[in-house]
Amino acid sequence: MEACALTEAVYYILLSLTTPMHGYGIMQNVHALSNGRLNLAAGTLYGALTTLLEKGLIQSAGFEDARKKEYCITDSGKKTLEQEIIRLEELLENGRKIMGDK
C-alpha cells in the first residue's frame, strides 16, 4: 500500500486494533487514548472500519455474533501504522527545529 497520512481517527482505530476489539470497545479505547478529545460517532467508526477492511489494513478477528463483530489489525495495517509514526516523528522534529524545543 502506498504510504499516506492517516486521519487522527484512523490512526487511533489502528492503534486500538493491535488488540482484537469490537466497535463499541474501539470507540471507548479511542476516547481513552486521546484523553477524551476524540469521540467517534458510530457512523464515522463503521465507515472507517469498512474502508480499512477493503484496504486490507484490518480483518475480522473471527469472533462474531448477531450483535458484535471483532476486528484486528493485519500485518499491512501494522506497517502502515509504523510508517505513520515515522511521519509524525518527522513532523515533530521539524516543528521543534523551527519553533525551538518549547
Side-chain angles (χ1 to χ4, degrees), residues 10-64:
V10 168
Y11 176 77
Y12 278 119
I13 291 167
L14 288 175
L15 277 179
S16 296
L17 292 177
T18 57
T19 300
M21 211 171 278
H22 56 80
Y24 184 68
I26 296 167
M27 290 166 61
Q28 291 180 309
N29 199 53
V30 167
H31 183 78
L33 286 172
S34 68
N35 295 313
R37 198 174 37 74
L38 194 59
N39 291 305
L40 293 178
T44 301
L45 173 65
Y46 289 103
L49 290 174
T50 298
T51 300
L52 292 169
L53 283 164
E54 289 170 356
K55 291 184 175 183
L57 300 180
I58 65 170
Q59 63 188 10
S60 173
F63 173 80
E64 291 185 44

Side-chain angles (χ1 to χ4, degrees), residues 86-102:
I86 292 167
R87 187 188 76 81
L88 293 170
E89 287 173 339
E90 180 183 314
L91 289 173
L92 284 172
E93 181 181 329
N94 288 331
R96 288 184 175 128
K97 282 180 191 173
I98 302 296
M99 299 299 294
D101 210 5
K102 297 178 182 178

